[in-house]
């Protein structure tokens, strides 16, 4: 991601490409699956999942693991897009061609340069915070300066964001309320068309690709060499639509992180 040196960005890209074949399809407290292995002397990797059954009787997400803060890496790009759409709604307009030309690759290909541009467009962390207050997020803090990938969030807050995208809303007025129907449909569409090599993650909990929509994030930390790997989105299982957020850190490799995320997602939904 763009907040890292180019060496790390190349490492991430290489790891993603090398592991693609192996990765193709990943309240209440519950245990999470065994953590992925980490280098000798390092603490074990951790993961937290939150799940909401959109078609169930209750409206409370179920938590699996400790609902603590994690780095977002690229899953924050959904939040950036939501903030951008709120700005456009308030101005009584649709996204410009320039904004759409960056929003689409930011979500579908996880393009970092596009995210850099839109992060500046929304006013960086203060702009994200203003949008999140309207969207009902309570535990998300934007990354410093241009480092959007170091935004901190919780699994519960990611369910709140997903609910703002995949749920239904009441009356939306300029300067107040959440995403309107057109904005929600736009985000859903982009998340349902991520490039195939980024289709891992919470999708492992679903049955087939019908109704699937997601955004993943991955980040190797310079200080430790360990990986943050996250996945958020909507899956369908036995006719039920689930919103699923899985956040993790401390994996020795990206492949380990993806495996942990997918195991956690499957266990959480089942």
């Amino acid at each position: 991601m763009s907040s890292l040196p180019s060496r790390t960005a190349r490492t991430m890209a290489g790891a993603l490409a090398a592991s693609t074949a192996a990765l193709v399809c990943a309240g209440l407290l519950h245990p999470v699956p065994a953590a992925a292995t980490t280098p000798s002397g390092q603490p074990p990797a951790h993961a937290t999942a939150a799940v909401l059954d959109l078609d169930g009787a209750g409206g409370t997400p179920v938590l699996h693991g400790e609902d603590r803060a994690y780095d977002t890496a690229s899953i924050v790009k959904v939040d950036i897009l939501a903030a951008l759409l709120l700005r456009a709604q308030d101005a009584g307009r649709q996204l410009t061609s320039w904004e759409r030309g960056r929003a689409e690759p930011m979500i579908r290909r996880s393009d970092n340069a596009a995210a850099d541009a839109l992060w500046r467009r929304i006013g960086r962390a203060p702009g994200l915070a203003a949008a999140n207050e309207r969207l009902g997020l309570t535990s998300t803090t934007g990354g410093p300066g241009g480092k959007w990938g170091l935004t901190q969030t919780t699994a519960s807050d990611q369910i709140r964001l997903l609910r703002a995208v995949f749920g239904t809303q009441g009356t939306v007025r300029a300067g107040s309320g959440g995403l309107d129907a057109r904005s929600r449909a736009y985000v859903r569409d982009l998340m349902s068309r991520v490039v195939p090599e980024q289709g891992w993650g919470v999708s492992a909990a679903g049955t087939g690709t019908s109704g699937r929509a997601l955004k993943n994030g991955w980040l190797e930390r310079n200080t430790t060499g360990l990986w943050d790997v996250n996945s958020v989105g909507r899956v369908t299982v036995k006719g039920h639509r689930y919103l699923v957020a899985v956040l993790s850190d401390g994996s020795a490799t990206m492949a380990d992180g993806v495996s942990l995320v997918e195991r956690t997602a499957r266990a959480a939904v089942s």
Side-chain angles (χ1 to χ4, degrees):
M1 49 170 296
S2 62
S3 60
L4 301 173
S6 58
R7 177 192 63 77
T8 303
R10 290 195 299 271
T11 299
M12 290 164 51
L16 178 61
S19 59
T20 295
L23 302 179
V24 170
C25 346
L28 300 175
L29 292 177
H30 297 273
V32 297
T37 58
T38 55
S40 177
Q42 295 286 356
H46 291 93
T48 301
V51 178
L52 177 65
D53 183 351
L54 285 176
D55 299 311
T60 302
V62 176
L63 284 171
H64 300 252
E66 180 187 1
D67 197 29
R68 63 174 177 85
Y70 292 82
D71 296 324
T72 58
S74 286
I75 62 168
V76 74
K77 292 169 180 174
V78 176
D79 208 358
I80 293 172
L81 178 55
L84 181 72
L85 288 163
L86 286 177
R87 287 168 61 90
Q89 287 177 198
D90 291 349
R93 63 173 178 84
Q94 298 184 38
L95 295 186
T96 66
S97 58
W98 182 92
E99 290 167 336
R100 285 179 176 270
R102 284 149 184 82
E104 180 167 347
M106 180 178 72
I107 300 298
R108 296 194 61 229
R109 295 190 285 105
S110 206
D111 185 276
N112 290 332
D116 288 342
L118 294 181
W119 179 245
R120 293 190 296 269
R121 187 77 147 195
I122 68 168
R124 296 186 173 184
L128 191 76
N132 285 344
E133 183 176 1
R134 290 171 58 175
L135 296 172
L137 278 67
T138 60
S139 303
T140 297
T141 304
K147 298 179 180 179
W148 41 262
L150 296 184
T151 296
Q152 293 264 296
T153 194
T154 64
S156 289
D157 244 18
Q158 287 303 298
I159 291 294
R160 294 182 183 103
L161 177 60
L162 291 172
R163 207 170 193 170
V165 171
F166 292 97
T168 58
Q169 308 293 323
T171 302
V172 177
R173 295 178 295 276
S176 66
L179 298 170
D180 62 23
R182 178 181 292 170
S183 293
R184 296 196 306 273
Y186 182 63
V187 183
R188 293 174 186 176
D189 175 65
L190 295 184
M191 291 179 68
S192 70
R193 295 191 294 117
V194 297
V195 292
E197 58 267 28
Q198 294 180 22
W200 49 268
V202 296
S203 56
T207 50
T209 59
S210 177
R212 183 189 76 183
L214 76 162
K215 181 72 192 79
N216 298 325
W218 57 97
L219 166 65
E220 184 184 24
R221 298 312 304 269
N222 288 338
T223 54
T224 63
L226 300 179
W227 287 80
D228 301 329
V229 180
N230 306 318
S231 184
V232 299
R234 181 191 64 192
V235 299
T236 302
V237 181
K238 298 179 179 179
H240 275 238
R241 300 167 301 152
Y242 293 89
L243 301 181
V244 186
V246 182
L247 310 180
S248 79
D249 60 18
S251 291
T253 66
M254 180 179 169
D256 284 345
V258 172
S259 178
L260 174 60
V261 164
E262 293 191 336
R263 293 198 314 272
T264 303
R266 284 192 291 265
V269 172
S270 65

